[in-house]
Each structure stands twice: as C-alpha cells, then as structure tokens.
Amino acid sequence: MAADEIHEIKSRLDIVEIVAEYVKLKKNGQTFWGCCPFHNEKTPSFSVSPQRQSFHCFGCGKGGDIFTFIMEMEHLEFKEALEKLAERAGVTLTRRAERPQTAALDIGAAALEYFQTSLTGAGGEAARSYLERRKLTPEECARFEIGWSPTSWDGLVRALQRKGFTGPQLAESGLASPGRDGGYFDRFRGRVIFPIRAITGRLVGFGGRILDGEGAKYLNSPESRLFNKRHNLYLLDKAKTAMNAKGCAILVEGYMDAIRAHLFGYTNAAASLGTALTNEQASLIKRMTGLCYVCYDSDSAGQEAALKAMYILHAEGVTAKRVLWQGGKDPDEILLLPNGVELFENAIKNALPLPLFHAQLRREALKDPLRAPEARRDLFDGLSTLSVFDVMPYMDELSAALSVFPHEMQRMIEEQRKSGGGERVLERPRYFTNDEEPNAQSEPVQFGDDLEYMLCSLLWGRGELRSEYDAEEIMRYIKDPGVQNIVFALLGGEEPSDMERRWQQMGDRTGLQIIARGDGLLSKEGIIDETASKLIETMRQNFLKRKISSYVKKIKVGAISEEEYSDYLKYNRLLKGGNIKA
C-alpha cells in the first residue's frame, strides 16, 4: 500500500461525516459528541475532532482515525477498510496482485443492472410470477437487488459487449462461457439472480436459481480472484452490524431463507451460499460475534450439514446452537406460517448446544444393534474434540442417551481423546450466558497521565514542534511506555506517516488509540498547539515534585544517602527553573 494513497483518502473524506452515519453527533465548541457505538452509555463520552480527523471514547478508550473507526464499526481488516474508503473517496489503489481487476468490478455492476432491468421488463414475467409465489413484493426484490437472467443464449453477452466489454473479460468474470463457434453464451440464463456481496459491500459474484429445464437448481459464480465462496456469506454485508449488536448470528442455508429472515426482523441472518460451511466463513462470523444459531433445513441432509457446521464454528471459537423444527421445514417456510414468528422464536429459545444435538441426531442409530457401534464412535469422535467446559454441563443427558453412568461417559470421552479421536482440544469460546448482555459496557481502558497523551498528540501533529525539544529531557517526564515509544520515535526524526503505515501493516491499533486519546483531551480541554511549551513545563514540574516527594519520604525515616540528598537539593533548585540534563 502506498502512504500517499492513505493520505489522499483522508484528505477527501471527513471523519465527522463518516461517523455521523452511525452515531448521532452534537457539536460543542470545535468538537462533536455522541453516545459511543462500541459500548452502552447514556451520557455521551464519544468525541470526534474535525481538526485532527480522529475519534476517541472517554468511556471505553477506543479511538483512532477514519480507518480505525470503519474497521471497528464494520468489523473489517485494514485492507478491507482501505478498499471501502478508497471507493467512497474516488481513490484508485495501485496494488496489483492483491486487488481484483477494476474491469471485473465494472462488469459485475453492469451485469447487475441488466439482471434487475430484465426482471422488471417484458421478458421477466416468469421470474416475477415465481417471486410472487415466494411471497416477495417488487419492493422487496429491489431491496435485495434480485434480478432475472433471460433464457436467451447470449442476451447478457450482447448487452455487455455493447458497453465495451469483451468476450474474454466476460468469461473471466464468470458471467459467460466460451462456445464452440468462438462466441460466448450466458452462464446464468433462465435463472433468478441473487447478487453476492463481500463483507465490505463490494459486489463479488452472483447466485442463480433455475426456474425450468435441466441444470443444477442453484448455480454460483465460478471461483476467481474476485469471488471465492469459501470466504463469503450471503447478506453478511447487511447482517454484520446486527450480529454484533444482538450478540449472535443466525446461519441459514439458502438465499430465500436469509431474505425471509431479514424481512421478519432477523437482520443478523446470513447464508452459507448453498455449500457446506467452511472455516473461512466461520471465521467471518467470529469477527462479529461468539454465538451462532444454526438454522439449516430439518431434513436429514440439513441435519448432517448442521452438525458439521457446528463443529467448524466451535473450531473457530464460536459457540453453536442448533435450531430445530419439525416437518422438513426451512426458515423461509416457517416464517411464512400464520404463527411463524412465534415458532421461530420458540425454536431459537430451545436451540440445542452442540453436544446434545449430536447425541440427539444419533439417538435412533444408538438403539439399533447394527448401527450403534458406528454411531457411538462418531459421537465420541466429535465430543473428544471439545473441551471439558463444553461437555461437562450436559454429561447427565449424554450418559442417559448412551445408557451409561456420567463418570463412565467422562472416562470414555477422555480415552477417545487420548487415543487420537479428538485431534484438537478446543479452548472454551467466549459466549454470552442468559445473565450477560451482549452489549454490556466493557471495562474502561486504563490510561496514565493525560498530559502525556496531549503532548504526544501535539508532537504527532506538529512537525515544527518536534525540532524544538530535546528528546533526552522530554523522555524523563513520561511514564507511559506506549507514549514513550511514540515520542522517542517522533523526536528521533521518524515521520508519523511511516509509523502509521507500520502499525497498520502489523495490525497494531495501540499507537493510534494513544494519539486519539490525546486528540480527544486537547479538544475537550480547549488546548491549542501554541500551548505545548506550557504543557511541557507542567509535566516538568510534576516530574520534579515526584522526585522530591520520593526523597522526602526517605528523609523522614532517615534512610537517604548523601548522593540522594544532593539530588534532593538539586531538584529543589530545578523546580524554580532550568532544564534537567543528568
């Protein structure tokens, strides 16, 4: 990444404007204030400084620049936040290998427009009828950007070629396939289209549901540099904020399940793109929350897929619970029932934890003498991968399912673990119990002397100040190790842009939090850059008073040495003026 690109993005975007999209802000002096979006509070302690383009919360301690805010708010990695803000600022990033080709993004946007236009056009009657039968209104289809790919062989190809895109570009994007005659034909023809967006909201691919004829029922964009279904979840871009706010995720199988959940207020729902859940997808959920309700279909295939997904989620540190309903139903069907919301709520309330669901799923097989050995082996193989904290609360129910005593059950699990059945013993993941609130206020970050943070911020923002002060002297006044590191680097000649880029590459947010803390204090106290000398003099006085106080304690008990007494006299003289050199 180029430092000038980061600075260009910052120069084009206003942090107040960005933050105001998430937080209601009120101006007080030169600073904007609001309730922190990262913890529950009634009295606003969240400050945004337009002068320094930074934010800081005096309650939970979080702070940083525009990139830090988007990373925290949207649960993005720095690279993802960079791409999101670059697109908003109209800045073209220069990275080659990591960034998908711009043409692929443009083709996707053009294709989505074609699909949506086709759905509402004269040739989209069959798709509109299907969506109407699925209880989706035109407004709801528009909300989720649903489209239609006509049955003609090359309607999309011809439409996009008229816009200047080439056949090879269309094939590379996964929208078309090469034909025998050297031409290209539409990949998704005759399908209702669901656009797939990455966690950042960027369009990365499409899913298509066939209406008539031969072919797979569902078809996704092929794997490419832009689209990898292992790393995406359908509607995650819309669900991520709700997942964090509600303290849990709802995982479903299909596009319609996810859409229906959102329409009924379950905006923390996302779908695994019609494929088995992957470790990468589970990791995405982990970034949002530590608890996931698995709402796969209730048929046998859905049950087995749910079990596998739950173990994958546990491996990523997410507590998984299985939501059950009867009759081979899926979430879309359940929610459309007259009492669907009540059924859905009750099912979530009674969701089974992983150990109990695994035992229940194998219950019938365990009663069959022919299938019991394999079912027991499967159950113990799974349970032995879990920690004792995950299994112990359910030991009575598990032992009853196997008709053994609890202590025997515990011994058998341990033996299976030692024999290699459980390849990894997981640490207990963090999840919310019934007594905890997902958004309960976190413990405030412990900060040191506020003067140190304000000085650090002043030196960070004013290059001319850095040349006025002696590093050896200034460092004596600072106690906080984090502030010491930043100030020493600044006074040693290192540029803030280089330090910031290094922190971003390392994923270290501590430095930017320190700067943001200082910015917030300067704005709160109304301190301007020109008062840096007064700030340093106050720190100098405090340093001398601390030294003198420590010597006074020794004098009172008669434990001071001659050298220390000499220093005591020196510091008393220095308290009246002068610099400290040795």
Side-chain angles (χ1 to χ4, degrees):
M1 93 191 62
D4 55 349
E5 291 174 352
I6 296 175
H7 294 150
E8 180 67 17
I9 292 170
K10 286 185 174 182
S11 69
R12 295 190 186 189
L13 299 177
D14 180 12
I15 193 171
V16 175
E17 181 181 336
I18 298 294
V19 173
E21 296 179 1
Y22 303 86
V23 181
K24 185 177 181 180
L25 298 175
K26 183 177 181 180
K27 190 174 184 180
N28 186 355
Q30 294 184 330
T31 306
F32 289 80
W33 294 86
C35 290
C36 181
F38 306 119
H39 77 285
N40 286 338
E41 64 177 9
K42 295 181 180 179
T43 303
S45 63
F46 181 83
S47 67
V48 184
S49 171
Q51 287 181 311
R52 295 178 172 83
Q53 289 293 297
S54 63
F55 75 94
H56 177 75
C57 177
F58 289 91
C60 68
K62 287 189 176 181
D65 60 4
I66 192 172
F67 290 101
T68 311
F69 180 79
I70 289 297
M71 290 167 67
E72 292 280 359
M73 202 69 210
E74 299 278 351
H75 304 279
L76 304 177
E77 303 294 339
F78 175 73
K79 180 180 70 173
E80 296 166 336
L82 178 66
E83 291 176 348
K84 183 181 182 72
L85 291 174
E87 183 177 356
R88 174 162 181 158
V91 174
T92 301
L93 302 178
T94 58
R95 293 175 306 172
R96 297 292 189 265
E98 296 180 19
R99 187 170 184 264
Q101 291 183 346
T102 303
L105 298 173
D106 294 339
I107 290 175
L112 178 57
E113 181 181 2
Y114 170 84
F115 292 141
Q116 290 184 291
T117 301
S118 298
L119 177 63
T120 58
E125 183 177 351
R128 292 195 298 271
S129 297
Y130 166 78
L131 293 168
E132 185 177 352
R133 291 195 301 273
R134 298 300 299 266
K135 307 300 182 183
L136 288 181
T137 67
E139 293 75 21
E140 291 166 346
C141 290
R143 172 182 167 183
F144 293 97
E145 303 177 291
I146 298 174
W148 163 247
S149 181
T151 56
S152 62
W153 278 87
D154 59 354
L156 174 64
V157 170
R158 287 185 284 107
L160 295 190
Q161 284 179 335
R162 287 195 294 268
K163 291 181 176 290
F165 298 108
T166 66
Q169 286 178 323
L170 294 171
E172 184 180 4
S173 69
L175 291 166
S177 301
R180 296 178 181 177
D181 59 355
Y184 294 85
F185 61 90
D186 296 353
R187 174 181 174 85
F188 290 104
R189 62 190 183 280
R191 294 177 181 271
V192 172
I193 300 297
F194 302 89
I196 301 170
R197 294 186 178 274
I199 187 174
T200 59
R202 184 184 64 192
L203 180 65
V204 293
F206 297 95
R209 202 276 191 196
I210 198 168
L211 293 189
D212 297 300
E214 298 180 355
K217 183 177 180 180
Y218 285 97
L219 182 67
N220 289 327
S221 292
E223 300 290 305
S224 67
R225 285 180 294 171
L226 186 63
F227 177 67
N228 187 324
K229 64 182 179 181
R230 293 180 61 86
H231 295 82
N232 292 282
L233 289 164
Y234 180 63
L235 292 191
L236 180 61
D237 61 306
K238 295 181 182 293
K240 59 187 178 185
T241 301
M243 286 180 180
N244 181 253
K246 296 182 178 183
C248 64
I250 292 177
L251 181 66
V252 298
E253 282 188 86
Y255 302 109
M256 289 301 303
D257 293 328
I259 290 172
R260 189 68 60 197
H262 277 250
L263 291 175
F264 275 81
Y266 298 97
T267 52
N268 54 333
S272 50
L273 295 173
T275 185
L277 188 75
T278 67
N279 296 97
E280 293 84 358
Q281 290 171 328
S283 180
L284 285 173
I285 294 173
K286 174 62 177 176
R287 284 162 61 175
M288 314 302 150
T289 180
L291 174 62
C292 181
Y293 290 97
V294 180
C295 298
Y296 282 6
D297 296 357
S298 57
D299 57 14
S300 59
Q303 298 282 49
E304 294 297 332
L307 180 65
K308 181 178 179 181
M310 292 174 76
Y311 275 108
I312 290 173
L313 286 164
H314 257 278
E316 292 296 326
V318 179
T319 296
K321 292 190 175 183
R322 172 59 166 149
V323 179
L324 295 169
W325 29 65
Q326 303 299 320
K329 301 288 186 180
D330 58 33
D332 180 34
E333 294 174 296
I334 291 291
L335 288 170
L336 285 175
L337 293 174
N339 59 337
V341 173
E342 181 182 354
L343 292 173
F344 200 84
E345 283 291 335
N346 289 335
I348 289 180
K349 186 183 299 183
N350 297 310
L352 289 179
L354 174 53
L356 294 186
F357 173 62
H358 197 167
Q360 178 175 305
L361 193 59
R362 300 289 177 254
R363 182 173 53 192
E364 294 302 318
L366 289 169
K367 297 177 182 178
D368 185 339
L370 295 178
R371 295 187 294 160
E374 182 180 351
R376 290 166 66 94
R377 184 165 51 251
D378 174 77
L379 178 59
F380 280 111
D381 277 346
L383 296 179
S384 63
T385 66
L386 307 179
S387 74
V388 64
F389 299 104
D390 296 315
V391 179
M392 282 301 294
Y394 315 109
M395 196 62 72
D396 289 341
E397 294 96 323
L398 293 171
S399 57
L402 290 167
S403 300
V404 298
F405 291 109
H407 70 276
E408 292 180 308
M409 182 76 184
Q410 187 174 352
R411 176 182 55 79
M412 288 187 283
I413 293 175
E414 188 60 33
E415 288 177 353
Q416 184 73 2
R417 184 177 290 136
K418 290 179 179 180
S419 69
E423 296 182 0
R424 56 182 180 273
V425 180
L426 307 178
E427 295 181 1
R428 186 182 188 183
R430 195 242 188 265
Y431 63 95
F432 301 111
T433 66
N434 291 333
D435 298 325
E436 292 181 278
E437 294 184 21
N439 291 320
Q441 180 169 334
S442 57
E443 289 295 321
V445 175
Q446 297 299 314
F447 288 101
D449 190 336
D450 286 346
L451 296 177
E452 297 180 9
Y453 296 99
M454 289 189 281
L455 173 63
C456 187
S457 180
L458 286 173
L459 294 175
W460 178 271
R462 291 284 298 276
E464 63 272 21
L465 287 178
R466 299 195 286 272
S467 61
E468 296 179 10
Y469 299 105
D470 179 65
E472 182 180 353
E473 180 180 0
I474 297 295
M475 293 299 291
R476 290 175 177 267
Y477 307 152
I478 302 172
K479 295 179 293 182
D480 188 292
V483 177
Q484 284 181 341
N485 291 336
I486 297 174
V487 171
F488 184 78
L490 290 172
L491 296 182
E494 190 166 358
E495 288 296 321
S497 58
D498 295 331
M499 297 169 65
E500 184 177 349
R501 184 166 62 254
R502 183 172 69 251
W503 292 337
Q504 289 164 341
Q505 291 172 339
M506 296 173 60
D508 184 358
R509 303 186 188 181
T510 305
L512 287 176
Q513 282 195 330
I514 289 174
I515 301 301
R517 168 80 175 180
D519 287 346
L521 289 166
L522 290 172
S523 299
K524 184 178 181 181
E525 302 297 331
I527 296 176
I528 59 176
D529 295 349
E530 285 70 20
T531 58
S533 58
K534 295 181 180 179
L535 192 65
I536 292 176
E537 177 59 25
T538 303
M539 294 176 63
R540 174 183 174 277
Q541 297 273 336
N542 291 343
F543 168 78
L544 293 173
K545 290 176 182 177
R546 289 197 303 269
K547 283 289 187 181
I548 292 170
S549 177
S550 66
Y551 290 137
V552 168
K553 291 178 181 178
K554 290 189 175 184
I555 291 174
K556 288 181 177 180
V557 298
I560 193 169
S561 66
E562 289 187 16
E563 183 180 355
E564 288 174 328
Y565 187 74
S566 176
D567 286 339
Y568 165 72
L569 296 176
K570 180 182 70 173
Y571 286 131
N572 269 294
R573 291 193 300 270
L574 289 171
L575 189 58
K576 301 176 182 179
N579 293 332
I580 303 172
K581 288 297 181 183

